Amino acid sequence: MDDSIFTPAGGGRFEPTKHARGPWDRGALHGGAPAALIARAFERTQPGAELPVARLAFEFLKPIPFAKLGVETEIVRRGRRVQELAAELRAGEELVCRASALRIQPVPEGLPSSGPQPAEQLPGPERGKVTRFALNRDAGTSLATTGMEMSWLDDPWALGPGRVWMRPRQPILPGEEASPLVRLVATADFGNGVSAELPFDEYLFINADLTIHLWRRPRGEWIGLDARTLLSEGGTGTTESVLHDTNGAVGRAFQTLVVQPR
């Protein structure tokens, strides 16, 4: 069995393994896998890698296929205080995902904290129940079942808001430990599944994008999701997740959903 989520394919390309599979189409990837790959590329983009990432945004233009994927990044806005990055993910010549990142100068140390805590701290991952979970229970090998370890604080099969801790079971690339930011991005794309409001076998609720706002740098292996989905008849479906590490809340993730009967 492959022991990573992607493998190098030469020429700056990466080939997904079965651990990258998503729930909606056996021939497509889970959005968290390519998003994590892009986040890795953003972290390595110089100059400016020392600046903390404040925002990440991913637009999934179509299902990401099981194919060799190429990631290209560029610095769109250069500055000492604010830096904007852009990325394109391609399968062959086809553009399948666009992404952006905002890196900003950190708040100076020694300033007093202002305002209330942004979210109540989640009970730690040791308080959860380790569960092999996927929306499609017969998923076999996928990012949900074999790519990520999950410690659930709530019933994973219940509809409605959900809380879970996650960490990768497999490295993104062979022999390479994922950074906390990469772990966070891989986890954040699970919000719509964690907080599913509709039965998976009757409805599609696929996220067309993923936007993450960070209050500070994430730390450690485990990333917690406190996720909630909101559906508006005749309008849109959205998922909002508060992101945690074991030190407290880190930021929020937002997903716009395509909701349809099967």
Side-chain angles (χ1 to χ4, degrees):
M1 181 181 286
D2 301 309
D3 60 357
S4 61
I5 295 172
F6 291 94
T7 57
R13 295 181 299 169
F14 304 91
E15 189 159 8
T17 72
K18 291 180 288 187
H19 300 300
R21 192 185 310 277
W24 305 105
D25 182 340
R26 296 292 294 175
L29 307 189
H30 191 291
L37 191 67
I38 294 170
R40 173 186 177 274
F42 278 146
E43 282 193 306
R44 292 164 179 255
T45 301
Q46 294 283 11
E50 73 282 356
L51 296 174
V53 174
R55 188 197 69 210
L56 290 154
F58 304 88
E59 297 177 28
F60 302 113
L61 304 178
K62 54 184 58 184
I64 312 296
F66 263 90
K68 294 178 182 178
L69 302 172
V71 182
E72 295 183 358
T73 64
E74 64 172 325
I75 300 175
V76 177
R77 177 182 176 185
R78 299 175 181 267
R80 293 182 296 108
R81 298 183 180 88
V82 179
Q83 192 178 80
E84 183 181 356
L85 282 65
E88 292 186 344
L89 183 76
R90 294 182 181 271
E93 297 299 316
E94 186 176 30
L95 179 63
V96 293
C97 179
R98 281 195 297 257
S100 64
L102 197 66
R103 301 195 292 207
I104 64 171
Q105 190 175 52
V107 174
E109 295 184 6
L111 293 182
S113 298
S114 61
Q117 290 296 314
E120 182 179 348
Q121 186 165 351
L122 285 180
E126 72 282 354
R127 300 279 299 278
K129 181 179 180 181
V130 176
T131 305
R132 185 181 172 113
F133 169 81
L135 286 169
N136 45 337
R137 299 194 189 202
D138 60 348
T141 306
S142 69
L143 188 66
T145 55
T146 56
M148 303 289 284
E149 180 180 357
M150 302 187 189
S151 178
W152 281 82
L153 298 170
D154 299 313
D155 179 359
W157 308 113
L159 296 179
R163 301 174 302 159
V164 63
W165 289 93
M166 297 189 191
R167 64 181 177 185
R169 293 180 185 273
Q170 316 291 341
I172 299 297
L173 290 168
E176 182 179 304
E177 183 177 358
S179 71
L181 180 66
V182 170
R183 295 187 188 108
L184 180 141
V185 170
T187 300
D189 196 61
F190 279 86
N192 58 324
V194 167
S195 63
E197 287 283 351
L198 300 168
F200 175 81
D201 57 349
E202 298 178 27
Y203 291 91
L204 302 173
F205 40 95
I206 304 169
N207 61 299
D209 67 354
L210 171 65
T211 303
I212 299 169
H213 290 267
L214 293 173
W215 303 316
R216 61 170 174 84
R217 298 179 193 264
R219 299 191 289 270
E221 288 188 327
W222 288 98
I223 299 296
L225 277 181
D226 186 351
R228 180 182 301 272
T229 290
L230 301 173
L231 303 177
S232 179
E233 184 178 358
T236 60
T238 58
T239 296
E240 178 180 348
S241 304
V242 182
L243 305 169
H244 297 253
D245 62 19
T246 54
N247 295 286
V250 176
R252 290 184 186 268
F254 303 89
Q255 297 166 291
T256 306
L257 307 184
V258 178
V259 181
Q260 291 181 332
R262 287 184 179 273

